[in-house]
Amino acid sequence: MPVTNVLLITLAAIFALGFVFFKYFLGNKNPGQSTYILAGLRFFTIFILLLLLINPGFKQLELEIEKPGLLIAVDGSSSIAHLEKGDSVQQMANVLQEHPELKERFNIQTYTFGQEIRKVNQNEDIDFKASQTNISSALRDLEHLNRTSQTALVLLTDGNQTLGEDYSYFKNRGNIGVFPVVVGDTTAQTDFYISNLNVNRYAFLNNNFPVETIVNYSGKQELETRFEIRQGTTVLYSRNIKLSPENSSEVISTTLPATRLGRTVYEAVVVPVTEETNVLNNSRKFVVEVIDERTSVLILSSILHPDLGALKKAIESNEQREVSIVTIKDFQINKLSDFQLIIIYQPNDSFIPVFEEIRNNNHSSWIITGTQTNWNFLNAAQENFSRNASSQTQDFFGTYNPNYSGFQFEDLEFDKLPPLEDRFGNMQFGGTPFSALLYQKVEGVDTKDPLLAVFENNTAKQAALFGENIWKWRAQSYLETGTFENFDNFISKLVQFLANTQKKERLSVNLEPVYLQGENLQIEALYFDRNYVFDPSGQLEIKLENQESGELVAGAMLASANRYVFEIDNLVPGEYSYEIKEIKSRILKRGNFIVIENNIEQQFTSANISAMKNLAENNAASLYFLNDPESLIKRLMTEDVYVSVQKSREKTLPLINWKILLFFLVLSLAAEWFMRKYFGLI
């Protein structure tokens, strides 16, 4: 106890004694027995009250036993039910949860996973209805949740994964031991199946579009069958294939003609053989939308720079777009009208005819500046912006503007991407309204000067990016995500917005034309007021109708950031129409989309034993089976690393929490009152 508290308690006792002395003994020459009793009670009362005011703390040592964790992770995907192992898996999980020796040794928790992981409540049965399986994500999440204590993880799964990284390479970090339990038949059955199908979602009228299909085979003998691509009952392509255990895969590539506009549903089929028991994985549907428009983009430059190739790659990642890179000295100005968007890269005096043509014919353009830009010329050639540029260069980082509402794009963590480089100097902007997609950050300071801005004038649109080396953004995006897709999508949406010269609509919808069965469907909409500023107070309602069954789904779209969102999953395959209506303005938007059949979880006929073995080997573990739970329980009980740990914790308890003191205080006051009453003092 601190010295201060000891001193205060001593003073409290002295004060209580002094009070009692002056009250009962000073001037009382013949104190009786009752006087001593009353004095004692009064001293006790005052001393307790003072103690409660001082409220000293007392240290208390608590001991607790912490058991090691036992996590039971159950694959809740529909492939388990399809393999008719749902009851067996549930029974295995119950045996582990209720085993008395395991309950005494471990702190047991049960989780189920499909696309995501969740905890299972006590006495809850698992439904095995998840439409996707992500084993690697489940392993990482459980490892993260239990990274501070020794934990055993029992993984009950068939090993068939439809999403995520290859889980067979997962390796624990030392505190979690993985015990994989195989669910399903480990013997390869005779089965032809389509493992992958690659096709572009868009094709151009009167052109041929490629289709690549990968057909796999599992079985013990060589078998021959036929591969077909059908449109309805019409066979558009067929080919005989012969596969065996030694040659178990074949890549089939062909092209199909795009003869009519709109969406067309095709089906790739491997004709079943008599030995097959599962034919659900013998077919795969796909949809191709045929269009007759192609956006042509021109990149004009007087210098060579990596940015040019990066922009071409990003823009042409969308099959609807074609990019031509031309040097300004080789360009014929009369060809400018052949392009829907002109990208002007680091202009100088030689671009005079280009700017005049853009101004006279209201072309859409995108200006990119940099260290080689002639700013004196650029300031005079257009009126949207100007810069008092010096000979020094400056690095500019980008920051995302979440309030931009011209079109929807995701934050690529622009502030973490490499800086762009341009001439140093103050920026000024003319009278043309503009919106910033990205702001500048200079030497760690956020500014309100745009790094990437869009200017809208009548039907034409102009954009400006103030900095070169955007190729570094594309490269960094690949390093962070392993794909160029995020960066390319951003550039693609910007190009689409600039190249579209139609009048801006107050209600626009962002929706994919095709979704796969089981895929989470998210419909996004933008609603603007009369000044074309995003209006978060809109009341948007949506109706979805299945064109075959007539089933209706209706709901409200919720405002989120700078868009309205409606999410739904588990739509049955078929063609759907949608209607989005803003209640107050009565603005309507209609369209349609297709959900195609793709029950990938029911395409598996046996457990993925090879991947499960690799997982066990990478974690120095053995492989277990549903029909032998005792082997797993014996291993868990004999592992030396899973032992309970006694932990001590020192707590400081304040005196005011001692309820017994209140009892003695009340008792003391009551006793003094009765004594006084008895002796006739009150």
Side-chain angles (χ1 to χ4, degrees):
M1 184 183 297
V3 176
T4 306
N5 285 346
V6 175
L7 179 61
L8 289 174
I9 292 171
T10 303
L11 291 175
I14 294 172
F15 178 83
L17 283 172
F19 181 86
V20 168
F21 175 78
F22 283 102
K23 175 71 176 176
Y24 292 98
F25 298 104
L26 185 64
N28 188 355
K29 297 182 179 180
N30 296 306
Q33 185 180 6
S34 62
T35 302
Y36 284 101
I37 294 174
L38 291 172
L41 291 173
R42 181 61 60 91
F43 169 80
F44 193 69
T45 300
I46 295 173
F47 183 66
I48 290 178
L49 286 172
L50 292 175
L51 271 181
L52 291 174
L53 289 173
I54 298 170
N55 193 25
F58 295 89
K59 295 187 182 298
Q60 181 179 10
L61 188 66
E62 289 187 349
L63 299 178
E64 61 181 14
I65 303 298
E66 184 178 282
K67 297 180 181 180
L70 174 58
L71 306 180
I72 305 172
V74 181
D75 186 343
S77 63
S78 58
S79 65
I80 301 294
H82 178 64
L83 296 173
E84 299 181 350
K85 294 296 181 181
D87 293 340
S88 300
V89 171
Q90 184 71 63
Q91 183 179 358
M92 177 73 158
N94 292 340
V95 167
L96 295 175
Q97 291 178 87
E98 301 302 327
H99 194 276
E101 294 181 6
L102 289 179
K103 290 174 68 174
E104 183 178 352
R105 184 176 189 184
F106 292 95
N107 178 22
I108 303 176
Q109 294 179 328
T110 303
Y111 293 84
T112 182
F113 64 90
Q115 188 169 352
E116 297 177 345
I117 191 168
R118 70 173 182 86
K119 191 173 182 180
V120 177
N121 298 322
Q122 190 174 8
N123 299 324
E124 177 187 354
D125 289 335
I126 300 168
D127 56 15
F128 302 103
K129 292 182 179 179
S131 59
Q132 301 274 14
T133 311
N134 193 335
I135 300 175
S136 59
S137 176
L139 290 171
R140 286 197 308 271
D141 290 345
L142 290 173
E143 181 184 46
H144 180 73
L145 288 172
N146 298 272
R147 60 182 184 272
T148 59
S149 59
Q150 285 294 334
T151 305
L153 171 58
V154 176
L155 180 68
L156 292 163
T157 179
D158 58 6
N160 294 311
Q161 178 173 269
T162 60
L163 290 174
E165 303 170 355
D166 188 346
Y167 70 89
S168 65
Y169 294 103
F170 172 84
K171 191 171 184 179
N172 67 70
R173 298 179 182 176
N175 62 306
I176 287 189
V178 180
F179 298 85
V181 179
V182 181
V183 176
D185 191 356
T186 59
T187 304
Q189 301 180 12
T190 300
D191 187 34
F192 285 96
Y193 59 97
I194 297 175
S195 63
N196 205 353
L197 192 149
N198 300 316
V199 62
N200 294 323
R201 287 189 173 183
Y202 299 96
F204 301 105
L205 187 64
N206 300 323
N207 284 352
N208 291 334
F209 60 91
V211 180
E212 182 184 72
T213 311
I214 301 176
V215 178
N216 284 0
Y217 166 75
S218 64
K220 298 179 180 179
Q221 58 183 329
E222 183 179 70
L223 288 177
E224 184 176 358
T225 185
R226 189 172 69 258
F227 171 78
E228 298 176 350
I229 298 180
R230 304 169 182 171
Q231 180 187 340
T233 58
T234 305
V235 178
L236 303 178
Y237 173 83
S238 66
R239 171 178 165 181
N240 290 333
I241 55 175
K242 183 183 293 186
L243 297 175
S244 64
E246 293 75 24
N247 179 30
S248 61
S249 179
E250 185 165 346
V251 179
I252 303 171
S253 299
T254 187
T255 59
L256 299 177
T259 56
R260 66 176 186 177
L261 294 173
R263 301 187 191 114
T264 304
V265 180
Y266 300 89
E267 186 176 21
V269 179
V270 179
V271 178
V273 296
T274 56
E275 292 85 351
E276 285 190 85
T277 58
N278 180 23
V279 297
L280 292 173
N281 55 10
N282 285 52
S283 63
R284 183 85 67 91
K285 290 184 178 180
F286 61 97
V287 177
V288 175
E289 183 170 8
V290 178
I291 57 177
D292 62 353
E293 293 184 359
R294 189 177 181 92
T295 302
S296 295
V297 179
L298 172 66
I299 300 179
L300 277 176
S301 175
S302 62
I303 61 173
L304 296 177
H305 198 281
D307 283 354
L308 306 179
L311 287 170
K312 179 179 174 67
K313 289 283 188 182
I315 297 171
E316 289 187 341
S317 64
N318 187 324
E319 293 291 333
Q320 301 177 70
R321 304 201 174 93
E322 182 179 43
V323 177
S324 299
I325 301 177
V326 183
T327 59
I328 187 64
K329 65 179 181 178
D330 297 329
F331 182 66
Q332 299 177 14
I333 197 65
N334 60 343
K335 299 290 186 180
L336 202 65
S337 58
D338 296 340
F339 301 93
Q340 285 75 52
L341 176 65
I342 298 95
I343 299 178
I344 302 173
Y345 190 79
Q346 302 213 36
N348 53 32
D349 294 350
S350 57
F351 284 78
I352 292 177
V354 176
F355 278 90
E356 291 179 350
E357 183 71 15
I358 290 173
R359 188 185 306 111
N360 294 336
N361 293 284
N362 216 20
H363 287 297
S364 295
S365 62
W366 179 10
I367 299 172
I368 301 177
T369 66
T371 58
Q372 302 299 313
T373 301
N374 185 333
W375 274 98
N376 292 330
F377 161 74
L378 186 57
N379 292 339
Q382 49 79 46
E383 299 177 350
N384 293 332
F385 57 86
S386 62
R387 166 171 277 168
N388 185 17
S390 68
S391 58
Q392 295 181 344
T393 60
Q394 177 73 53
D395 287 341
F396 297 95
F397 290 86
T399 58
Y400 175 69
N401 177 13
N403 298 317
Y404 178 75
S405 59
F407 62 91
Q408 303 164 34
F409 70 100
E410 302 297 328
D411 184 8
L412 306 183
E413 297 187 325
F414 291 97
D415 56 341
K416 297 180 181 179
L417 296 177
L420 303 184
E421 190 176 8
D422 204 345
R423 295 287 186 87
F424 177 79
N426 294 326
M427 292 291 301
Q428 294 182 347
F429 296 88
T432 304
F434 72 92
S435 300
L437 286 76
L438 305 174
Y439 289 114
Q440 295 179 7
K441 178 187 281 189
V442 181
E443 296 181 354
V445 178
D446 290 326
T447 72
K448 288 303 179 182
D449 288 338
L451 182 66
L452 175 59
V454 172
F455 304 82
E456 295 191 53
N457 182 17
N458 297 324
T459 58
K461 299 167 186 168
Q462 283 83 37
L465 175 66
F466 303 110
E468 63 180 70
N469 294 330
I470 197 173
W471 68 270
K472 294 183 179 180
W473 285 12
R474 189 169 190 261
Q476 184 66 30
S477 179
Y478 180 84
L479 291 176
E480 294 292 336
T481 64
T483 176
F484 294 114
E485 183 176 353
N486 293 339
F487 176 84
D488 291 352
N489 284 342
F490 167 63
I491 296 297
S492 181
K493 289 182 178 181
L494 176 60
V495 169
Q496 180 182 5
F497 176 76
L498 295 175
N500 185 4
T501 58
Q502 296 179 357
K503 184 178 179 181
K504 192 173 184 179
E505 298 177 321
R506 290 183 59 188
L507 179 61
S508 62
V509 180
N510 183 22
L511 179 69
E512 293 291 336
V514 180
Y515 291 91
L516 299 178
Q517 180 185 5
E519 186 177 1
N520 185 44
L521 188 151
Q522 179 172 292
I523 301 175
E524 297 178 348
L526 291 175
Y527 174 66
F528 303 96
D529 60 20
R530 295 185 182 276
N531 295 321
Y532 293 100
V533 176
F534 178 75
D535 184 357
S537 64
Q539 300 177 23
L540 272 65
E541 291 185 348
I542 182 171
K543 293 180 181 179
L544 303 177
E545 181 179 1
N546 187 309
Q547 297 296 290
E548 298 173 6
S549 65
E551 183 180 356
L552 282 172
V553 177
M557 301 191 72
L558 303 178
S560 175
N562 61 338
R563 68 198 69 183
Y564 290 86
V565 177
F566 180 79
E567 292 188 4
I568 188 171
D569 55 9
N570 297 324
L571 286 179
V572 299
E575 185 171 352
Y576 289 81
S577 63
Y578 69 84
E579 178 184 284
I580 298 177
K581 180 179 180 181
E582 204 288 314
I583 302 300
K584 294 180 289 186
S585 63
R586 306 186 68 82
I587 298 175
L588 274 174
K589 194 76 174 179
R590 293 186 175 95
N592 56 76
F593 61 91
I594 295 176
V595 177
I596 60 176
E597 187 175 0
N598 184 45
N599 198 337
I600 191 169
E601 287 291 337
Q602 294 185 8
Q603 297 182 5
F604 303 111
T605 59
S606 60
N608 190 345
I609 188 70
S610 60
M612 296 286 283
K613 283 183 178 178
N614 289 338
L615 175 65
E617 291 173 0
N618 286 331
N619 292 274
S622 300
L623 209 56
Y624 300 90
F625 299 89
L626 278 180
N627 59 1
D628 188 19
E630 294 304 321
S631 296
L632 174 60
I633 294 172
K634 182 178 179 181
R635 176 69 181 275
L636 290 171
M637 293 301 300
T638 55
E639 282 285 342
D640 295 335
V641 294
Y642 304 118
V643 294
S644 298
V645 178
Q646 178 176 286
K647 292 187 176 181
S648 62
R649 182 172 57 182
E650 190 176 69
K651 291 172 47 177
T652 300
L653 297 177
L655 188 68
I656 200 170
N657 289 345
W658 290 17
K659 296 180 181 179
I660 193 171
L661 284 179
L662 179 62
F663 170 76
F664 282 124
L665 179 62
V666 173
L667 183 64
S668 174
L669 289 171
E672 184 178 356
W673 187 85
F674 280 112
M675 287 286 295
R676 287 180 176 276
K677 189 74 173 176
Y678 178 79
F679 290 115
L681 300 177
I682 56 173

Short mmCIF file of all heavy atoms in Angstrom, two decimals, residues 397 399 439-448:
data_model
loop_
_atom_site.label_atom_id
_atom_site.label_comp_id
_atom_site.label_asym_id
_atom_site.label_seq_id
_atom_site.Cartn_x
_atom_site.Cartn_y
_atom_site.Cartn_z
N PHE A 397 2.07 13.39 -56.04
CA PHE A 397 1.31 12.20 -55.67
C PHE A 397 -0.17 12.47 -55.87
O PHE A 397 -0.62 13.62 -55.84
CB PHE A 397 1.57 11.81 -54.21
CG PHE A 397 2.96 11.28 -53.95
CD1 PHE A 397 4.01 12.15 -53.67
CD2 PHE A 397 3.22 9.92 -53.99
CE1 PHE A 397 5.28 11.67 -53.44
CE2 PHE A 397 4.49 9.43 -53.75
CZ PHE A 397 5.53 10.30 -53.48
N THR A 399 -4.25 11.81 -54.73
CA THR A 399 -5.17 11.39 -53.67
C THR A 399 -6.57 11.29 -54.25
O THR A 399 -7.00 12.12 -55.06
CB THR A 399 -5.17 12.39 -52.49
OG1 THR A 399 -5.54 13.69 -52.96
CG2 THR A 399 -3.80 12.46 -51.85
N TYR A 439 -6.65 14.54 -56.58
CA TYR A 439 -6.01 15.78 -56.16
C TYR A 439 -4.50 15.58 -56.04
O TYR A 439 -4.01 14.45 -55.95
CB TYR A 439 -6.55 16.25 -54.81
CG TYR A 439 -7.97 16.76 -54.85
CD1 TYR A 439 -8.99 16.09 -54.18
CD2 TYR A 439 -8.29 17.92 -55.55
CE1 TYR A 439 -10.30 16.55 -54.21
CE2 TYR A 439 -9.59 18.39 -55.59
CZ TYR A 439 -10.59 17.71 -54.92
OH TYR A 439 -11.87 18.18 -54.96
N GLN A 440 -3.77 16.69 -56.04
CA GLN A 440 -2.31 16.64 -55.91
C GLN A 440 -1.91 16.60 -54.44
O GLN A 440 -2.50 17.26 -53.59
CB GLN A 440 -1.68 17.87 -56.56
CG GLN A 440 -1.88 17.97 -58.06
CD GLN A 440 -1.24 19.24 -58.62
OE1 GLN A 440 -0.56 19.96 -57.89
NE2 GLN A 440 -1.49 19.52 -59.88
N LYS A 441 -0.89 15.79 -54.16
CA LYS A 441 -0.21 15.84 -52.86
C LYS A 441 1.25 16.14 -53.15
O LYS A 441 1.92 15.40 -53.85
CB LYS A 441 -0.35 14.51 -52.11
CG LYS A 441 0.40 14.51 -50.77
CD LYS A 441 0.40 13.14 -50.12
CE LYS A 441 -0.92 12.87 -49.44
NZ LYS A 441 -0.86 11.63 -48.62
N VAL A 442 1.73 17.26 -52.61
CA VAL A 442 3.09 17.73 -52.88
C VAL A 442 3.88 17.73 -51.59
O VAL A 442 3.48 18.40 -50.62
CB VAL A 442 3.09 19.13 -53.51
CG1 VAL A 442 4.51 19.60 -53.81
CG2 VAL A 442 2.24 19.15 -54.78
N GLU A 443 4.94 16.93 -51.55
CA GLU A 443 5.81 16.84 -50.38
C GLU A 443 5.01 16.56 -49.11
O GLU A 443 5.21 17.16 -48.06
CB GLU A 443 6.64 18.12 -50.23
CG GLU A 443 7.60 18.34 -51.39
CD GLU A 443 8.44 19.60 -51.23
OE1 GLU A 443 8.18 20.35 -50.27
OE2 GLU A 443 9.35 19.79 -52.04
N GLY A 444 4.06 15.63 -49.22
CA GLY A 444 3.28 15.20 -48.08
C GLY A 444 2.11 16.09 -47.72
O GLY A 444 1.39 15.81 -46.77
N VAL A 445 1.90 17.17 -48.48
CA VAL A 445 0.83 18.12 -48.17
C VAL A 445 -0.29 17.96 -49.19
O VAL A 445 -0.06 18.06 -50.41
CB VAL A 445 1.36 19.57 -48.18
CG1 VAL A 445 0.21 20.56 -47.89
CG2 VAL A 445 2.47 19.73 -47.15
N ASP A 446 -1.51 17.69 -48.72
CA ASP A 446 -2.66 17.59 -49.62
C ASP A 446 -3.06 18.99 -50.10
O ASP A 446 -3.14 19.93 -49.31
CB ASP A 446 -3.86 16.95 -48.90
CG ASP A 446 -3.63 15.47 -48.63
OD1 ASP A 446 -2.98 14.82 -49.45
OD2 ASP A 446 -4.09 14.99 -47.57
N THR A 447 -3.31 19.11 -51.39
CA THR A 447 -3.74 20.37 -51.97
C THR A 447 -5.11 20.18 -52.61
O THR A 447 -5.58 19.07 -52.77
CB THR A 447 -2.75 20.88 -53.02
OG1 THR A 447 -2.84 20.04 -54.19
CG2 THR A 447 -1.32 20.84 -52.49
N LYS A 448 -5.74 21.25 -52.99
CA LYS A 448 -7.01 21.19 -53.70
C LYS A 448 -6.81 21.38 -55.20
O LYS A 448 -7.78 21.52 -55.94
CB LYS A 448 -7.97 22.25 -53.15
CG LYS A 448 -8.51 21.90 -51.77
CD LYS A 448 -9.20 20.55 -51.76
CE LYS A 448 -9.71 20.17 -50.38
NZ LYS A 448 -10.33 18.84 -50.36
#
